[in-house]
């Protein structure tokens, strides 16, 4: 892809050996744990839960929560929780990597389930792991993992297309990451002008792309423009993604327009959240899609060179206090 200019006009798992498995803190679950007696070296769950000041109950929950951490990967363990003959526990993922050897005592693991610990987990309620960044929710132990996979406070994935970037973080961090590490162009304003030039439009590599970030209404938006093969012919596509959650993205709208030779093609829609991957948005064709023949027609000349100018704007939908309907708030 050859880009002559960008004008942005603002209106304002492999297997590992036993010895290579790091052990963080071994947990031992004795057979007494499933009886009415609690081991002396653990907090008494039954007694502490009835303590009026609640302090012992907090310590008890913390202690059990620590017991539910896999001593190898330190992640929370979920059924099936395994243990060796000596009572050392391990999660099912690490058990598969341990070649049926306990990482703590090196004894054979077998297929012993730690049913006592699984039962204790059912009685726990724990805060979301994203509580430190704002999530106030508390869930039963076995529901916590499901919530965290869709929690609005979970980190975002890098929206950069064209490479499998594994960076995650909050929006300010990702904006800095895009600017400093991916060298993405940053612009302020809610209108834009994109000029796309390609000398040989018949040669299109899959997912040839371009990304620009716009700061508008105090939010950041990713404008994608790319060419990819659809069937036997290349198409060109432009679309906008919102750097935030889907619910907040619905507060904004955008339009894209491309034209030439007295014709124009217009797209209007709602930006997709970066929670949706770049490929998901692209493959759903949720944006301005330009077929090659139409693109060459817009380019004019002898149809030997692609010259497209994509313009657009972003606006915020506001609630009309009189009629209740949404009305556009244009960026000025």
């Amino acid at each position: 892809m050859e880009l002559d200019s960008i004008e942005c006009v603002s209106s304002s798992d492999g297997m590992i050996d036993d010895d290579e498995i790091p052990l963080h803190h071994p947990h031992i679950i004795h057979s007494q744990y499933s009886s009415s007696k609690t081991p002396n070296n653990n907090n008494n769950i039954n007694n502490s839960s009835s303590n009026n000041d609640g302090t012992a109950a907090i310590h008890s929950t913390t202690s059990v929560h620590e017991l539910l951490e896999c001593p190898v990967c330190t992640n929370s363990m979920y059924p099936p929780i395994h243990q060796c003959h000596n009572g050392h526990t391990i999660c099912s993922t690490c058990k598969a990597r341990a070649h049926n050897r306990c990482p703590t005592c090196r004894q054979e693991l077998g297929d012993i389930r730690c049913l006592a610990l699984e039962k204790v987990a059912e009685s726990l309620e724990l805060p979301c792991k994203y509580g430190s960044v704002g999530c106030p929710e508390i869930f039963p132990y076995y529901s916590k993992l499901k919530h965290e996979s869709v929690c609005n406070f979970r980190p975002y994935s890098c929206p950069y297309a064209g490479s499998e970037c594994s960076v995650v973080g909050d929006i300010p961090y990702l904006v800095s990451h895009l600017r400093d590490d991916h060298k993405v162009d940053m612009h302020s304003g809610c209108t834009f002008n994109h000029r796309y030039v390609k000398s040989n439009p018949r040669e299109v590599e899959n997912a040839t792309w371009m990304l620009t970030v716009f700061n508008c209404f105090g939010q950041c938006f990713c404008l994608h423009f790319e060419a990819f093969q659809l069937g036997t012919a290349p198409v060109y596509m432009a679309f906008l993604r919102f750097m935030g959650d889907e619910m907040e993205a619905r507060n904004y709208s955008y339009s894209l327009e491309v034209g030439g030779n007295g014709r124009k093609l217009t797209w209007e829609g709602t930006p997709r959240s970066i929670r949706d991957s770049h490929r998901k948005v692209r493959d759903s064709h949720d944006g301005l899609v330009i077929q090659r023949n139409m693109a060459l027609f817009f380019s004019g000349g002898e149809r030997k060179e692609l010259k497209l100018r994509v313009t657009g704007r972003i606006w915020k939908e506001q609630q009309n206090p009189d009629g209740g309907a949404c009305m556009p708030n244009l960026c000025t």
Side-chain angles (χ1 to χ4, degrees):
M1 176 182 291
E2 299 174 4
L3 181 64
D4 285 358
S5 65
I6 302 177
E7 301 175 18
C8 297
V9 183
S10 174
S11 58
S12 60
D13 175 26
M15 301 295 287
I16 61 177
D17 295 334
D18 295 342
D19 296 336
E20 294 177 352
I21 299 178
L23 185 65
H24 295 273
H25 51 315
H27 298 327
I28 302 177
I29 304 298
H30 298 285
S31 58
Q32 297 98 310
Y33 198 82
S34 59
S35 69
S36 60
K37 296 181 180 180
T38 306
N40 293 331
N41 61 340
N42 288 323
N43 291 326
N44 191 311
I45 297 174
N46 293 328
N47 292 339
S48 61
S49 62
S50 60
N51 195 317
N52 291 333
D53 63 9
T55 304
I58 295 175
H59 291 312
S60 175
T61 300
T62 302
S63 176
V64 176
H65 189 204
E66 290 174 352
L67 287 174
L68 286 164
E69 286 184 358
C70 174
V72 178
C73 65
T74 71
N75 292 328
S76 297
M77 294 186 291
Y78 293 88
I81 299 175
H82 299 275
Q83 69 175 40
C84 72
H85 291 280
N86 291 325
H88 302 119
T89 56
I90 187 172
C91 73
S92 56
T93 301
C94 291
K95 178 180 182 292
R97 300 166 57 207
H99 305 299
N100 202 35
R101 291 287 174 184
C102 174
T104 303
C105 63
R106 295 296 188 265
Q107 296 298 311
E108 183 178 351
L109 279 171
D111 291 312
I112 305 174
R113 289 274 295 276
C114 188
L115 299 178
L117 191 55
E118 292 180 8
K119 192 68 176 178
V120 168
E122 292 181 0
S123 65
L124 291 183
E125 288 190 348
L126 299 173
C128 171
K129 71 177 180 180
Y130 302 119
S132 62
V133 291
C135 183
E137 302 294 340
I138 297 177
F139 291 91
Y141 184 79
Y142 291 139
S143 302
K144 178 173 174 284
L145 195 64
K146 181 179 179 180
H147 160 77
E148 289 171 348
S149 67
V150 296
C151 178
N152 288 336
F153 293 90
R154 72 191 189 277
Y156 295 88
S157 299
C158 173
Y160 190 75
S163 67
E164 297 298 327
C165 184
S166 60
V167 170
V168 298
D170 59 19
I171 298 303
Y173 176 80
L174 289 181
V175 170
S176 299
H177 166 67
L178 289 171
R179 181 189 62 234
D180 300 336
D181 298 330
H182 293 299
K183 310 303 179 186
V184 170
D185 289 332
M186 303 282 171
H187 297 276
S188 295
C190 301
T191 63
F192 42 86
N193 238 316
H194 239 144
R195 187 167 180 254
Y196 175 72
V197 178
K198 188 168 180 63
S199 58
N200 188 351
R202 301 184 185 279
E203 294 181 2
V204 176
E205 296 180 0
N206 194 40
T208 302
W209 53 268
M210 185 166 57
L211 172 64
T212 307
V213 173
F214 292 89
N215 189 315
C216 176
F217 295 108
Q219 306 289 345
C220 289
F221 299 82
C222 295
L223 176 64
H224 297 265
F225 186 78
E226 62 181 76
F228 59 97
Q229 204 76 19
L230 183 62
T232 59
V235 297
Y236 307 91
M237 183 175 178
F239 58 92
L240 198 71
R241 286 202 291 167
F242 175 73
M243 296 189 71
D245 282 318
E246 180 183 356
M247 290 297 293
E248 198 171 0
R250 294 175 184 173
N251 295 325
Y252 302 91
S253 297
Y254 75 103
S255 64
L256 297 171
E257 183 177 300
V258 61
N261 281 339
R263 308 288 192 277
K264 68 179 180 181
L265 189 62
T266 303
W267 164 268
E268 186 173 305
T270 301
R272 296 280 286 271
S273 166
I274 60 172
R275 294 288 191 201
D276 290 335
S277 69
H278 160 267
R279 181 174 292 276
K280 180 179 180 179
V281 180
R282 192 198 75 180
D283 291 349
S284 67
H285 300 170
D286 191 2
L288 178 65
V289 179
I290 313 162
Q291 302 293 332
R292 183 180 65 182
N293 288 339
M294 182 65 73
L296 292 174
F297 179 80
F298 288 150
S299 301
E302 299 180 358
R303 301 164 63 94
K304 293 182 179 180
E305 184 178 42
L306 186 71
K307 294 180 180 180
L308 290 178
R309 183 178 294 278
V310 178
T311 61
R313 65 186 179 93
I314 306 167
W315 66 91
K316 186 174 183 178
E317 301 288 355
Q318 285 189 333
Q319 197 75 19
N320 187 339
D322 297 328
C326 289
M327 56 188 301
N329 176 22
L330 303 181
C331 182
T332 58

